[in-house]
Amino acid sequence: SQELEQSPQSLIVQEGKNLTINCTSSKTLYGLYWYKQKYGEGLIFLMMLQKGGEEKSHEKITAKLDEKKQQSSLHITASQPSHAGIYLCGADLPGADGLTFGKGTHLIIQP
Amino acid sequence: DAGVTQSPTHLIKTRGQHVTLRCSPISGHKSVSWYQQVLGQGPQFIFQYYEKEERGRGNFPDRFSARQFPNYSSELNVNALLLGDSALYLCASSLVVRSYNSPLHFGNGTRLTVT
């Protein structure tokens, strides 16, 4: 089974609407990272969360890490075409070298 | 400032051949990591190097090897290529090995196609 589960797998949202993407782990996360990827390109770092209950915002994107440090959400307010892409969560998991990534959420913004 | 640069951007190889991918980290970053991303999946960790030493290895066969040079650039080598090695290979750099204040910064990747 996937160590990091992302939901939904894909999302089609009308421009201007809000949306939320979730990332869940069965293990306690040492650190949780959100990245955005344009199709076939590299990953762009968005935010990093470390502490339980932590919340960070950048422009219209807010990310939260729950108190137990096993689930994170990424919320986009008033979505724009520039938000379209693949959103990936990555985490430092106990006993693992490197970051473990989820499969990604494909976000499409409809005008 | 230049970000992480990778070369080549695209590569087509035949089964059984070997390939070398190259990566230059962000200036000042001493750690380089390699990831493989197969279509429709998230990146999978292959290697991490820090100060020219291997500091982490993912679940990949011995056909995969890497090294880091004194200028902190890195090479990923794959021998005896298989069709399943077709993927986007991503290089990432960071200031240190595993500091929670040092996120990974990725290059645009090398798209490897094995025929």
Side-chain angles (χ1 to χ4, degrees):
Chain A
S1 64
Q2 193 77 8
E3 289 188 287
L4 276 184
E5 295 280 350
Q6 280 190 243
S7 63
Q9 288 186 335
S10 62
L11 194 54
I12 301 174
V13 172
Q14 195 171 16
E15 185 177 351
K17 298 293 186 184
N18 304 335
L19 62 107
T20 300
I21 298 168
N22 294 301
C23 177
T24 303
S25 171
S26 58
K27 301 178 182 178
T28 299
L29 307 171
Y30 290 145
L32 190 287
Y33 307 79
W34 283 100
Y35 287 88
K36 179 186 174 185
Q37 185 177 31
K38 291 284 182 75
Y39 297 99
E41 297 183 5
L43 279 63
I44 299 167
F45 172 71
L46 295 175
M47 274 174 277
M48 175 176 65
L49 303 166
Q50 301 167 221
K51 301 173 185 174
E54 188 174 10
E55 179 176 321
K56 287 187 178 178
S57 293
H58 177 68
E59 297 181 342
K60 295 185 178 181
I61 301 177
T62 300
K64 301 178 187 180
L65 183 61
D66 75 339
E67 289 290 342
K68 290 173 61 179
K69 295 174 64 175
Q70 288 186 272
Q71 185 168 6
S72 178
S73 61
L74 185 82
H75 184 78
I76 298 177
T77 304
S79 57
Q80 301 169 347
S82 60
H83 289 131
I86 303 170
Y87 288 82
L88 290 150
C89 65
D92 282 311
L93 294 179
D97 288 338
L99 291 185
T100 300
F101 283 90
K103 288 187 176 182
T105 295
H106 294 238
L107 174 62
I108 296 171
I109 307 295
Q110 277 186 337
Chain B
D1 285 345
V4 177
T5 57
Q6 292 186 244
S7 63
T9 54
H10 296 83
L11 204 50
I12 300 175
K13 290 286 189 178
T14 305
R15 277 176 296 178
Q17 288 187 317
H18 71 271
V19 68
T20 298
L21 310 181
R22 295 177 174 83
C23 172
S24 292
I26 292 172
S27 177
H29 285 193
K30 297 183 178 181
S31 179
V32 170
S33 300
W34 289 94
Y35 287 77
Q36 180 196 64
Q37 187 177 26
V38 173
L39 197 62
Q41 302 291 318
Q44 270 201 297
F45 173 70
I46 311 175
F47 286 111
Q48 182 177 31
Y49 277 78
Y50 177 73
E51 293 280 14
K52 296 175 290 180
E53 289 188 4
E54 182 183 302
R55 299 299 293 268
R57 174 184 283 254
N59 189 23
F60 280 80
D62 292 342
R63 298 184 296 107
F64 288 77
S65 63
R67 54 180 177 166
Q68 187 178 32
F69 299 100
N71 66 352
Y72 303 112
S73 67
S74 176
E75 281 183 356
L76 175 70
N77 294 284
V78 186
N79 293 324
L81 285 166
L82 303 174
L83 294 179
D85 294 331
S86 296
L88 181 67
Y89 287 84
L90 295 161
C91 174
S93 74
S94 58
L95 283 169
V96 293
V97 175
R98 279 182 103 158
S99 163
Y100 302 133
N101 291 317
S102 178
L104 297 181
H105 293 273
F106 285 82
N108 279 331
T110 294
R111 171 71 62 186
L112 172 65
T113 303
V114 182
T115 62

